[in-house]
Amino acid sequence: MSWIDKILPSGVRKEEGARRSSVPEGLWKKCVKCDAVLYRPDVERNDDVCPKCDHHMRIGARRRLDIFLDRDGREEILTDIEPVDRLKFRDKKRYRDRLSAAQKATGEKDALIAMRGTLQGMPVVTVAFEFAFHGGSMGYAVGEKFTRAAQLALSEGMPLVCFSASGGARMQEALISLMQMAKTSAVIERMKVAGIPYVSVMTDPIYGGVSASLALLGDINVAEPDARAGFAGPNIIEQTIRQKLPKGFQRSEFLLAHGAIDMIVHRNDMRDTLARLLGKFTGQVPVVPEDTEDDASSADASGSVESIDLTDD
Amino acid sequence: MNPNYLDFEQPIAELEVKIEELQLVGTDADINISEEIRTLREKSAKLTEKIYANLSPWDIVKVARHPRRPYTLDYISRLFTDFDELHGDRHFGDDRAIVGGTARLNGRPVVVIGQEKGRAVKDKVLRNFGMPKPEGYRKALRLMSMAERFKMPVITLIDTPGAYPGIDSEERGISEAIAQNLAVMSRLATPIICVVIGEGSSGGALGIGVGDHLAMLQYATYFVISPEGCANIIWKSTANAPEAAAAMGVTSKVLQELGIVDATIPEPMGGAHRNVDLMAERIQAHLIKELDRLEQSPVEEMLERRYERLMSYGN
């Protein structure tokens, strides 16, 4: 019996062999990197970054927006956009059924959430990918919401911040997905021409069509520590070149060293860093709200996909 | 199996072998033999017509990848005059998987860019099997920007199994290189016509594929992930590629219905490789027609239409 089992009330203790289930849901969380069992409120207070090893845990889109935007005056936008199964795609399952399952599991219509709000007092449009929805893949709904969020940023002269986490273009929408790459890149280019700042924040992982479009087109590209980002997945590359990939390949540090991103930003510093940057780009001065420090602790972490399912049944 | 014919074309191959044999014996002008050859030829044509009338999406993928299918360089020499190949991205190197340069289309100066797969084995290696690296896309971007400065329309010929998935590609920013092309092509102030001549695979194809007009040859394919890749993810086996090809709708017919592809250029019976000259004539006529149309409106209007079109994808 491990120490953790000893300190737990017997009601939540499990039989031998169910080692991982010995932590009550909601209170404890295990870091997938260092295996440390962590007191959940500590993790949440730390923006879902492991207090022991600094691993940036994967978080959901709503949690992401919640810890990024100022608490007051935020509003979810573009909620009317829904995925469309134009090809009536069917493999082993129907795409429609896959969509309903993902919608049920995440409570989202598709893999991108958009909000307008303020960042340290400065108006900003922010979008975040929900990786738990179909691997954050980009089909029509994601491309359309990104584009309309960018158009809003353009028309109102507000910066756009995008937190991406995506496996790439969504196969089940085939060429329509591919064309979302062109669509999102086109609207970003309009922002560039108009001088509206766009910051792309890359969070683990970003591959394929999202990497080769909106994620790398920021005026500023930043990545969270140790995030993986690349065009082709490591498996594909290994199969092609028949070699082992070097350590740290396609990680944030690799991207920084090869000039793909401007900086690596710790999740705890994301607000301050982006506010500092955007303030200069837009000629504003960020105002740090007094209660910033406690913003995170009140947040709901249900979007996390790395939290261990500990239900005893 | 005859390597010049695909699996579903083997009955045609057998007839063609018979015709060839008869031609060899028939040199002494035997009237019956020439009659026989004529009949067989008719039969072969009818059979080809029949087989090609019922191609599955997966069959079309095979035609698009046919070893004898004409590649970019085969077309460049037939579509244009005065072609001068231009090399290099000015930063790192020259990617031979993308060919580009200035040329004349029916007398009119243009910039032409296309992926080249390479014919002979040595050539294929030189061309990296048509899989461009970042420097290829950056060379393309350089040539396109030049086209804009000198008011030359851009014509792109798309034929790639995908951008190169390798360590060096990633180190030099393949994602950024493709993304940058998508962004700039969306507003490049000169007409852009894109033609998928063979295999249009994903971001590697789209990286030279944003423009005012997108045409596909009849048996070309365009997909977001190769049918093999899709099958591997869903069925865990490339053996299901035919199902994946059908599900994704990789043919010009489906893509035109979706409003993504504007036009399909018909191929000679049995595919472009059966008559490259005829295929080139048709492409050339199409390019001239579309260019004339695009040049009728002011550049600003054309760019607005291009942008609106991009915004409409999936609506």
Side-chain angles (χ1 to χ4, degrees), chain A:
Chain A
M1 192 182 275
S2 71
W3 67 269
I4 191 80
D5 289 316
K6 286 179 192 151
I7 62 163
L8 284 170
S10 59
V12 295
R13 239 180 251 156
K14 260 241 153 164
E15 306 303 314
E16 287 279 318
R19 194 172 51 86
R20 299 183 111 212
S21 307
S22 50
V23 191
E25 177 171 30
L27 251 195
W28 301 92
K29 189 177 179 126
K30 191 169 172 179
C31 173
V32 290
K33 191 150 184 219
C34 72
D35 274 352
V37 177
L38 308 161
Y39 186 51
R40 194 185 274 265
D42 286 347
V43 179
E44 283 171 7
R45 206 169 299 120
N46 201 30
D47 299 337
D48 282 287
V49 175
C50 174
K52 298 263 189 281
C53 74
D54 219 28
H55 172 59
H56 284 52
M57 299 176 184
R58 196 174 283 163
I59 56 175
R62 289 189 187 276
R63 170 85 171 125
R64 175 71 67 182
L65 294 164
D66 193 49
I67 60 178
F68 179 68
L69 290 168
D70 295 343
R71 193 182 288 172
D72 295 330
R74 53 170 90 151
E75 176 201 358
E76 184 170 0
I77 52 170
L78 307 169
T79 51
D80 58 322
I81 300 166
E82 305 214 17
V84 187
D85 177 20
R86 202 138 282 154
L87 278 165
K88 309 234 177 309
F89 190 96
R90 187 193 185 114
D91 45 71
K92 284 193 292 193
K93 286 185 196 154
R94 290 191 305 177
Y95 174 46
R96 268 182 53 198
D97 297 339
R98 286 183 191 272
L99 278 175
S100 327
Q103 286 170 338
K104 230 172 148 184
T106 59
E108 307 295 352
K109 284 180 177 166
D110 209 302
L112 193 74
I113 311 297
M115 285 189 186
R116 62 183 297 170
T118 54
L119 172 65
Q120 299 191 349
M122 304 179 294
V124 62
V125 178
T126 307
V127 295
F129 278 73
E130 178 53 67
F131 192 77
F133 193 106
H134 245 277
S137 57
M138 178 163 72
Y140 159 73
V142 169
E144 180 71 12
K145 195 181 275 192
F146 181 94
T147 302
R148 279 172 41 189
Q151 280 165 343
L152 177 73
L154 252 175
S155 64
E156 303 206 2
M158 290 185 281
L160 175 70
V161 176
C162 171
F163 291 91
S164 47
S166 172
R170 189 173 297 169
M171 285 190 311
Q172 289 85 351
E173 292 181 40
L175 254 269
I176 291 171
S177 300
L178 190 75
M179 292 304 162
Q180 303 309 311
M181 294 170 63
K183 179 165 149 183
T184 54
S185 301
V187 74
I188 292 167
E189 188 67 10
R190 285 232 160 159
M191 295 182 69
K192 290 233 163 95
V193 172
I196 306 295
Y198 167 49
V199 178
S200 168
V201 183
M202 301 163 79
T203 74
D204 187 68
I206 299 145
Y207 279 100
V210 171
S211 163
S213 61
L214 59 94
L216 274 150
L217 287 174
D219 292 297
I220 302 287
N221 294 333
V222 311
E224 282 194 333
D226 213 33
R228 289 164 297 175
F231 180 66
N235 295 344
I236 305 284
I237 298 176
E238 277 185 346
Q239 280 163 27
T240 309
I241 61 171
R242 293 171 201 287
Q243 284 171 41
K244 268 279 182 229
L245 295 172
K247 203 167 176 289
F249 182 65
Q250 292 181 329
R251 297 275 175 182
S252 306
E253 293 69 11
F254 170 96
L255 299 175
L256 185 67
H258 287 94
I261 57 172
D262 292 280
M263 55 176 87
I264 298 172
V265 180
H266 194 286
R267 198 176 287 164
N268 296 156
D269 303 328
M270 196 61 78
R271 275 172 57 84
D272 287 346
T273 308
L274 264 50
R276 208 164 56 233
L277 282 164
L278 288 175
K280 283 175 281 185
F281 285 8
T282 58
Q284 300 172 87
V285 179
V287 181
V288 186
E290 273 169 31
D291 60 344
T292 310
E293 282 309 299
D294 296 323
D295 266 6
S297 57
S298 60
D300 164 31
S302 61
S304 172
V305 295
E306 276 180 333
S307 60
I308 318 156
D309 187 339
L310 301 165
T311 333
D312 278 345
D313 55 7

Side-chain angles (χ1 to χ4, degrees), chain B residues 207-227:
Chain B
I208 59 165
V210 178
D212 302 293
H213 179 83
L214 174 61
M216 277 177 83
L217 303 197
Q218 188 178 1
Y219 303 124
T221 55
Y222 201 175
F223 35 73
V224 69
I225 179 172
S226 72

Side-chain angles (χ1 to χ4, degrees), chain B residues 294 297 300-310:
Chain B
L294 287 170
S297 48
E300 294 70 31
E301 271 175 37
M302 182 188 72
L303 289 179
E304 203 45 46
R305 269 204 305 274
R306 189 190 299 167
Y307 186 76
E308 286 311 317
R309 172 125 190 278
L310 286 167

